Amino acid sequence: MAANSECFNNPPPLSSTSGPGTLLQLGGLTTYVAGPSESKLAILLISDIWGYENLNLRKIADKVAAAGFLAVVPDFFYGDPVNPANPQFDADIWFKIHSTEKGCEDAKPLIAALKSQGVSAIGAAGFCWGGNVAVKLGKTDEIQAAVILHPGRLTDEEIDQVKVPTAILGAETDKHSPAEQMKHFGDILSTKSELFDSFVKIYPGAAHGWTTKYNSEDELAVKRAEEAHLDMLNWLTKYVK
């Protein structure tokens, strides 16, 4: 993934303190947590490369929390999200340090911590980098459902190994996650319809990262992002119970 890829365009607003949620240590990860602490249902929101301080991502968590879920947004990058503005930043090194394989492994102690607190069902929604982590979790018994939003590069084999209800939300314009490839992944998942449900939706006019990197002053961009957020929430509500 090169530094000039779509992932690095339009950086979102970041803040370590914003949002009505609280910061907790869960499974060794600093985590933004919102929603009723007594909830038996949790949604793991896995960030794009900009990390858990993305204000738009925290707003999504707050929506998930308002629906009655315990929303958790971990800092999978341990305080080291991408920083292309830093002349010393090296994308290749960063992606080696923060691999999606490591993200999946780091999620497991956090999921165990949630279960130890009484959570009985967990869904995962992943954005770009996080979409790849959600796919990896969807191949395990760790979660009950997944939503993959404009993921990073995935293989047919990875998608074929998924075994939980999975929705793929893609952009019409996305060199990183082309719409035709997202539809192809949907075809792979549909062959397992006797085992679990799947769903693919391509959003007209949307570009890579539209759900988490939208301009809050752009009415159309906000509307398009909110449509995807609602579709995500509806899927998770249906299968995480």
Side-chain angles (χ1 to χ4, degrees):
M1 188 183 295
N4 62 354
S5 82
E6 294 163 298
C7 300
F8 290 88
N9 297 336
N10 306 315
L14 306 176
S15 173
S16 61
T17 58
S18 185
T22 57
L23 294 181
L24 301 175
Q25 290 293 320
L26 284 176
L29 296 173
T30 303
T31 305
Y32 178 82
V33 179
S37 59
E38 70 278 6
S39 178
K40 304 295 184 185
L41 308 176
I43 302 300
L44 174 61
L45 296 167
I46 310 171
S47 75
D48 57 16
I49 59 177
W50 299 96
Y52 86 130
E53 294 184 353
N54 180 340
L55 290 182
N56 292 336
L57 181 58
R58 291 193 179 188
K59 289 177 182 177
I60 296 171
D62 298 337
K63 292 179 186 179
V64 170
F69 293 102
L70 183 65
V72 294
V73 188
D75 177 14
F76 283 109
F77 306 139
Y78 298 90
D80 179 40
V82 297
N83 184 12
N86 180 351
Q88 305 301 318
F89 177 75
D90 186 307
D92 291 335
I93 292 175
W94 189 91
F95 280 106
K96 287 177 182 177
I97 294 171
H98 303 294
S99 69
T100 54
E101 290 80 9
K102 185 175 187 298
C104 179
E105 290 307 308
D106 286 352
K108 293 176 181 178
L110 180 142
I111 290 171
L114 291 171
K115 290 179 177 178
S116 74
Q117 295 176 11
V119 170
S120 58
I122 298 171
F127 307 81
C128 189
W129 181 94
N132 293 50
V133 176
V135 168
K136 288 174 172 59
L137 289 172
K139 298 188 291 184
T140 72
D141 296 318
E142 301 283 350
I143 61 173
Q144 279 63 59
V147 181
I148 303 159
L149 303 98
H150 44 86
R153 292 186 178 92
L154 290 165
T155 65
D156 289 6
E157 182 181 10
E158 286 179 292
I159 294 295
D160 190 49
Q161 293 173 1
V162 168
K163 56 182 182 179
V164 298
T166 299
I168 298 177
L169 309 185
E172 180 183 33
T173 305
D174 192 336
K175 295 177 183 177
H176 205 58
S177 317
E180 289 307 312
Q181 186 184 45
M182 299 302 101
K183 294 174 185 176
H184 172 64
F185 288 161
D187 291 340
I188 294 173
L189 292 172
S190 68
T191 64
K192 305 170 185 292
S193 58
E194 292 184 1
L195 301 175
F196 58 84
D197 284 345
S198 60
F199 171 75
V200 175
K201 181 174 177 178
I202 305 300
Y203 295 75
H208 184 79
W210 90 97
T211 65
T212 55
K213 299 196 296 179
Y214 59 89
N215 180 351
S216 60
E217 297 180 0
D218 182 334
E219 185 176 341
L220 180 59
V222 171
K223 182 178 179 180
R224 191 180 288 127
E226 289 181 341
E227 179 184 351
H229 301 162
L230 181 59
D231 291 336
M232 176 199 78
L233 187 55
N234 286 342
W235 185 263
L236 294 170
T237 299
K238 185 175 182 180
Y239 292 107
V240 181
K241 54 189 178 181

